[in-house]
Amino acid sequence: MRRLFAVLLMLIAPTVLAEDVTMAFGEKIPPFCFPETNSGIEIEVIAEALAVGGGHKLKPVYFPFARVPVAFKAGEVDAAMTDLGEDMQPHGGHYGDPAVFYDNVFITLRSRGLKIRRPEDLKGLSVIAFQGADKRYPEWLGPVKQAGNYHEQNDQSLQVRMLNDGRHDVVLSDRNIFRYFSLQLTRTGSFKQQPIQEHAFTIARPQDYRPVFRSAKVRDDFNAGLALLKKSGRYRAIYDKYLRD
């Protein structure tokens, strides 16, 4: 009954004072953002939350990732997917609840039997990560880089292949991004993912990935819609669309 009630609320979302919301997103972050089709987990969650909470229509605009908060500060957009660690409140920003968050982990082949609990455990291992990871985690990756064992690869499907083929010992990736690319490669029929082991090394902080809105009213509508998506099960369904076998 509670789920039915939530679904009904979604169907009768208010349309009074509905707005088009132009929002800055990173150029391409599978499975969270696919600019060519205006789809992906983050796009769909935010679009549906805005629609459910206030009848608003999301209009995504895509920028190089580092330009996302810059576009908001410059007044080019009504909202931004993230602030990249820079406080947007002095620039008229109102923070919403996290729509998604990134949970970065070290990933190794289970057959290697590696245990990564401290930065010292990476000594002598070849690590491949996303661009800029060494700046985000200098305590862990600084010594690896200094030893010449650190590599970056923006094409994260290649990260999956390189780990699987033994060309690198460790991948640093968001666990959902790694899973998405692993599933995509497996579906080609020419790739078989070896069992992996995830090593958590930092506490996931959802607040680091809060969207920011210029309008407090739109932010409130978004928060209300996001809560309804989670209560109805629709939020989980969006994730499963991209990450289920």
Side-chain angles (χ1 to χ4, degrees):
M1 180 62 71
R2 296 172 104 185
R3 182 170 180 175
L4 177 60
F5 177 70
V7 172
L8 288 173
L9 284 177
M10 292 170 66
L11 293 174
I12 59 172
T15 56
V16 178
L17 301 179
E19 301 179 23
D20 288 345
V21 180
T22 303
M23 190 169 194
F25 289 88
E27 285 182 316
K28 189 170 185 179
I29 315 170
F32 294 98
C33 177
F34 296 96
E36 61 274 14
T37 54
N38 285 336
S39 62
I41 294 171
E42 189 164 22
I43 297 286
E44 292 182 32
V45 166
I46 291 177
E48 292 192 23
L50 286 168
V52 167
H56 307 297
K57 182 178 180 180
L58 176 68
K59 292 195 168 182
V61 183
Y62 302 99
F63 296 90
F65 203 58
R67 283 258 317 145
V68 169
V70 175
F72 183 85
K73 288 191 296 182
E76 299 173 27
V77 292
D78 306 314
M81 63 175 281
T82 182
D83 63 6
L84 285 184
E86 183 178 355
D87 185 8
M88 291 293 112
Q89 289 178 312
H91 304 282
H94 301 275
Y95 283 94
D97 294 332
V100 301
F101 69 94
Y102 298 87
D103 190 4
N104 293 320
V105 294
F106 290 118
I107 302 170
T108 61
L109 296 181
R110 190 180 300 166
S111 60
R112 295 288 306 278
L114 297 173
K115 297 186 185 301
I116 303 174
R117 299 191 180 98
R118 305 169 302 164
E120 294 80 9
D121 295 331
L122 292 174
K123 185 176 180 179
L125 299 178
S126 172
V127 178
I128 185 167
F130 53 86
Q131 189 172 28
D134 60 324
K135 297 179 179 62
R136 185 174 297 184
Y137 306 111
E139 178 186 0
W140 289 83
L141 299 177
V144 181
K145 186 174 183 178
Q146 194 169 32
N149 291 329
Y150 176 73
H151 311 270
E152 293 184 345
Q153 173 55 254
N154 267 353
D155 183 345
Q156 292 184 273
S157 67
L158 287 179
Q159 293 181 0
V160 176
R161 285 188 179 277
M162 288 178 176
L163 179 70
N164 213 56
D165 294 343
R167 294 168 62 186
H168 292 285
D169 303 308
V170 183
V171 167
L172 171 56
S173 175
D174 167 75
R175 55 169 31 113
N176 286 323
I177 290 175
F178 188 93
R179 175 169 175 74
Y180 171 80
F181 281 114
S182 178
L183 287 171
Q184 295 303 304
L185 289 169
T186 300
R187 287 168 182 160
T188 66
S190 61
F191 177 87
K192 182 174 176 57
Q193 174 70 65
Q194 296 188 52
I196 61 168
Q197 178 71 44
E198 295 181 353
H199 308 264
F201 69 101
T202 185
I203 297 173
R205 291 167 49 89
Q207 294 303 102
D208 288 349
Y209 303 101
R210 295 176 298 167
V212 58
F213 299 88
R214 203 168 301 283
S215 164
K217 171 66 167 57
V218 172
R219 183 273 314 275
D220 292 343
D221 290 343
F222 166 80
N223 285 349
L226 182 62
L228 282 173
L229 291 184
K230 291 182 176 180
K231 186 176 181 180
S232 70
R234 176 58 185 160
Y235 182 87
R236 182 69 259 169
I238 293 172
Y239 264 84
D240 288 345
K241 173 181 174 182
Y242 292 91
L243 298 173
R244 181 171 281 176
D245 290 336

